[in-house]
Amino acid sequence: MFHVLVTLDANYLPPLKVLMNSLFRNNNRSFTFYLLYSRIPEIEIELLKQFVERQGHQLAPIFVDPDLFADAPVFRHYTAEMYYRLAAHQFLPPHLDRVLYLDPDIVAINPIDELYDMDFEGNMFIAAEHTHSTKVANLFNKLRLKTPNAKGYFNTGVMMMNLPLMRKEVRLEDIYQFIRDNRFKLVLPDQDVLNGLYWDKIKPVDGYRYNYDARYYDMIQLLPNPKHDLHWIQENTVFIHYCGKDKPWKENYKGELGLFYKQYSDVLQFEEEKT
């Protein structure tokens, strides 16, 4: 079985269902989804539960007190729910030893088992850099977060979590203190916390396979002989991540990799119209 963690508000329920649909269609194991939430109406939770169960999988909704990160900075399209992943070990079942966290603005286009079953090698997280966007920013991030020896700056949208180690080493007070000490330096808040506090406990994986930033694809098509074409992505990439404020469920989205989101969204719409 795959155990998947999501944390979001009601606005992200439609893309979450598209993500779930993409996971169902590309994997042969059953799923249990753990949904950490504070501001989703119970009727919406029940409808999502019915959707997941109709596909033969499970949803475990877990209410989180909204005061948990009430003082943490929130801005632009970021919400307080983004911090919940940092405290996930406190809410997930004690017998669970690993979970895959996924942002809802992602689709899976290949099986996830290779990443899911990967050896942590003593690390707390397995995650990827968005290499193209962090090479220039790496020095800045290391100075900003005071992590001169960090291997890189990791994206928190796709993360394997080593729950026994998190239960042992992650303290909410450390997170609160880091936020207080760095409030005016935080650019991508929860991501900065993870990279600032746990930079030496992250196992890196290939971002082009496990966390492909859709914006990068559009950028490299302007170059001669781009490294990745659609065929390479279809064969090698597991997760496509629609980072930034432009999202493929919006009418004005122009990114070429939006075709994958549309594929799973259209199938989902067709299935829901039948039921």
Side-chain angles (χ1 to χ4, degrees):
M1 176 177 281
F2 294 119
H3 297 275
V4 175
L5 170 68
V6 290
T7 67
L8 47 102
D9 63 18
N11 292 322
Y12 275 89
L13 286 174
L16 172 63
K17 289 172 75 174
V18 176
L19 165 61
M20 289 173 162
N21 185 43
S22 71
L23 288 167
F24 299 154
R25 292 184 165 275
N26 288 296
N27 294 278
N28 294 320
R29 288 194 231 170
S30 59
F31 284 87
T32 295
F33 292 94
Y34 299 91
L35 168 60
L36 300 188
Y37 74 101
S38 296
R39 298 175 294 160
I40 302 177
E42 289 307 309
I43 182 62
E44 296 285 358
I45 295 288
E46 182 55 35
L47 289 171
L48 183 64
K49 198 163 192 271
Q50 291 173 15
F51 164 75
V52 172
E53 289 176 353
R54 276 199 305 272
Q55 313 291 327
H57 305 278
Q58 294 178 291
L59 178 73
I62 302 170
F63 177 79
V64 177
D65 184 340
D67 289 336
L68 188 68
F69 287 102
D71 296 329
V74 171
F75 47 85
R76 297 199 302 274
H77 54 285
Y78 301 102
T79 66
E81 283 80 0
M82 68 184 165
Y83 292 103
Y84 294 178
R85 74 194 92 176
L86 301 173
H89 58 290
Q90 296 199 358
F91 298 99
L92 295 173
H95 65 270
L96 207 58
D97 65 347
R98 65 174 55 214
V99 73
L100 171 62
Y101 171 82
L102 293 173
D103 276 351
D105 56 350
I106 284 172
V107 291
I109 64 171
N110 277 302
I112 69 169
D113 51 304
E114 191 174 323
L115 176 64
Y116 189 90
D117 297 329
M118 192 174 286
D119 190 339
F120 283 102
E121 297 179 9
N123 289 287
M124 198 181 300
F125 304 99
I126 300 173
E129 283 187 273
H130 283 158
T131 312
H132 59 279
S133 61
T134 55
K135 273 184 179 173
V136 175
N138 254 346
L139 181 59
F140 169 69
N141 285 323
K142 288 179 181 183
L143 290 170
R144 185 170 60 89
L145 301 174
K146 298 177 183 172
T147 56
N149 297 316
K151 301 168 198 154
Y153 182 79
F154 294 91
N155 183 271
T156 54
V158 178
M159 287 191 299
M160 285 301 305
M161 295 178 159
N162 182 344
L163 294 172
L165 196 55
M166 287 182 72
R167 293 183 189 109
K168 188 176 172 184
E169 298 192 16
V170 175
R171 296 172 61 248
L172 279 187
E173 185 47 49
D174 293 339
I175 294 171
Y176 295 150
Q177 189 62 50
F178 185 88
I179 291 171
R180 284 193 292 269
D181 292 346
N182 297 278
R183 174 173 290 273
F184 301 110
K185 297 182 195 172
L186 300 181
V187 179
L188 300 167
D190 70 300
Q191 198 160 281
D192 284 346
V193 173
L194 181 111
N195 282 277
L197 283 177
Y198 309 115
W199 59 269
D200 58 342
K201 298 179 175 68
I202 305 170
K203 175 178 174 175
V205 288
D206 183 355
Y208 299 123
R209 289 200 65 209
Y210 295 115
N211 193 341
Y212 198 112
D213 185 340
R215 297 171 299 185
Y216 173 69
Y217 181 83
D218 297 316
M219 185 173 68
I220 64 165
Q221 298 317 301
L222 304 173
L223 304 174
N225 304 313
K227 182 177 178 182
H228 307 132
D229 58 16
L230 276 179
H231 177 72
W232 187 95
I233 289 172
Q234 286 171 320
E235 292 294 314
N236 297 281
T237 295
V238 177
F239 296 112
I240 295 175
H241 192 175
Y242 300 97
C243 302
K245 65 179 188 303
D246 294 325
K247 302 298 185 187
W249 54 87
K250 294 181 178 177
E251 284 186 16
N252 60 351
Y253 185 78
K254 294 183 174 62
E256 193 167 343
L257 295 190
L259 66 91
F260 292 106
Y261 183 90
K262 188 175 187 312
Q263 172 188 339
Y264 293 106
S265 176
D266 287 351
V267 168
L268 178 62
Q269 186 177 349
F270 175 75
E271 288 179 344
E272 294 198 321
E273 285 171 356
K274 282 198 307 184
T275 53

